[in-house]
Amino acid sequence: MENGHVIVLFGATGDLAKRKLLPGLMHLWQAGLIDDSRIVGTSMDDIDTEQFVDIARQACHEFGKHGQQDARWDEFAALLSFVPHMAGPPALADAVRAAESELARGGRPVDFLHYLSVPPKAALDVVHQLDAAGLVKQSRIVMEKPFGTDLKTAVELNERLHQVFDESQIFRIDHFLGKEAAQNILAFRFANGLFEPIWNRNFIDHVQIDVPETLGLEDRTRFYESTGAYRDMVVTHLMQVLAFMAMEPPTSLAPDPISDEKLKVFRSMRPLEPHNVVRGQYAGYRDHDETADDSDTETFVALKVEIDNWRWAGVPFYLRTGKKMAEGARIISIAFKEPPLTMFPAGSNAGTQGPDHLTFDLADQSKMSLSFYGKRPGPGMKLEKLSMQFATHETSSAYAVLEAYERLIYDALRGDHTLFTTAEGIETLWEKSAPLIQNPPPVRVYSPGSWGPNAIHQLVAPHAWRLPFERSWREHNVMGQ
């Protein structure tokens, strides 16, 4: 008998809940993955269940990508209830226990999943509220980034969390790792005898993890002034993707062995020295409300990461992310070493379009591409860059794709830590970040709509950034033909 689940959504009327969590929960329910569940919402808003249901319906209609299925809306709405935060822990406990009672008929065991979609400063208050409400036992808790702002604050946060919840109950979410393409890295590496033997310093020249964003920070400057791009994006997202890329084969694809191998990658990283980092700030950032006229906050960061272990010694990993950039993308690009000798005649184009690349696109429509040189049809030996491409939405299983938040909520309900971050992993990353945090290089101004400050080219030399792409993804939909 599978357990029933009471999902307690803190910040249930906030932006993340409306855009991702409520539509995601509805899709999980439509897919039959959370049939035996109830959803209890709570927030600072003084509303009742009927008003919350209206908010949820509007959110699912506006942001749901799988169709609202109006005919079944009343069934889903019956799973929802709401209790205002100001009503206190006893009222929350009553609402959760009432939902538990509905599910427990027939002796079914019931678990609680508490999703903390709240500002970082409010997270510990919620933890103590759960403790006061007696809702810690049989519970799991999902926490949003950031997980501290340096080693000291991360250690303090984890110590205070562990006073209430055991580490096995805590799920630190990183929506990048919930994407199909991120998990495809594991499948690609460990299920194919063709690629695992070349996944090392002997065949790979360098790796780029590139996440430019076109959005600015007009509505988030207060948050960003206390974080910046490095804390917001690199520690919580890009480093986690890097660990999937670089880790040794785990003893099995189970949560504990995977976490162990990711931690080994973080421990093998060299400390992040300021001379290997470029910080930038887009022109006009200081004009926003709640931004200091002399703000040193970076809205862009690029860095070189070096891993001192047998597999990766001498292979640089280049990471880049920023706001108000030329394009929005989420790309992992692996550049293979070029042949040791070229036998092709002058004018053949051999090597002129860069090395062979394997590319993972972490966008919602996950894609993979392998680019290589081939002969152009016709007389003579003229080469051109070709590519083999795979896109999830072109497969017969496209209907089964879960969005990142949907997958991660489902994994947390099942107690699967594979795609989540551990306390020890986070603390190790902050330890390696200490030289950068203590002595950050100056921010360099860059133009909105660019690829960042010019210094990024010296950082990556003698290589070149893969973005902007020199070729396009294939655009057609096999499913529609």
Side-chain angles (χ1 to χ4, degrees), residues 25-35 69 72 399-400 402 406:
L25 287 168
M26 183 171 183
H27 183 225
L28 288 172
W29 175 76
Q30 289 173 340
L33 297 175
I34 56 169
D35 285 339
Q69 296 188 5
R72 299 192 66 196
Y399 69 91
L402 295 178
E406 296 167 1

Side-chain angles (χ1 to χ4, degrees), residues 104-160:
R105 293 169 187 155
R108 177 190 301 276
V110 178
D111 294 329
F112 304 150
L113 180 72
H114 308 298
Y115 196 116
L116 274 59
S117 178
V118 298
K121 292 180 180 178
L124 285 172
D125 291 338
V126 171
V127 168
H128 295 307
Q129 182 184 1
L130 289 169
D131 194 15
L135 297 175
V136 172
K137 191 178 177 182
Q138 76 202 66
S139 289
R140 301 184 179 106
I141 182 171
V142 178
M143 297 192 66
E144 286 280 345
K145 62 167 187 170
F147 314 115
T149 55
D150 56 19
L151 179 58
K152 181 175 180 289
T153 55
V155 170
E156 288 176 356
L157 174 62
N158 287 326
E159 286 178 348
R160 293 176 71 179

Side-chain angles (χ1 to χ4, degrees), residues 1-30:
M1 179 184 297
E2 289 191 8
N3 289 11
H5 300 284
V6 179
I7 301 166
V8 186
L9 186 54
F10 290 85
T13 56
D15 187 63
L16 177 63
K18 291 176 183 176
R19 289 178 176 273
K20 296 292 184 181
L21 305 182
L22 289 167
L25 287 168
M26 183 171 183
H27 183 225
L28 288 172
W29 175 76
Q30 289 173 340

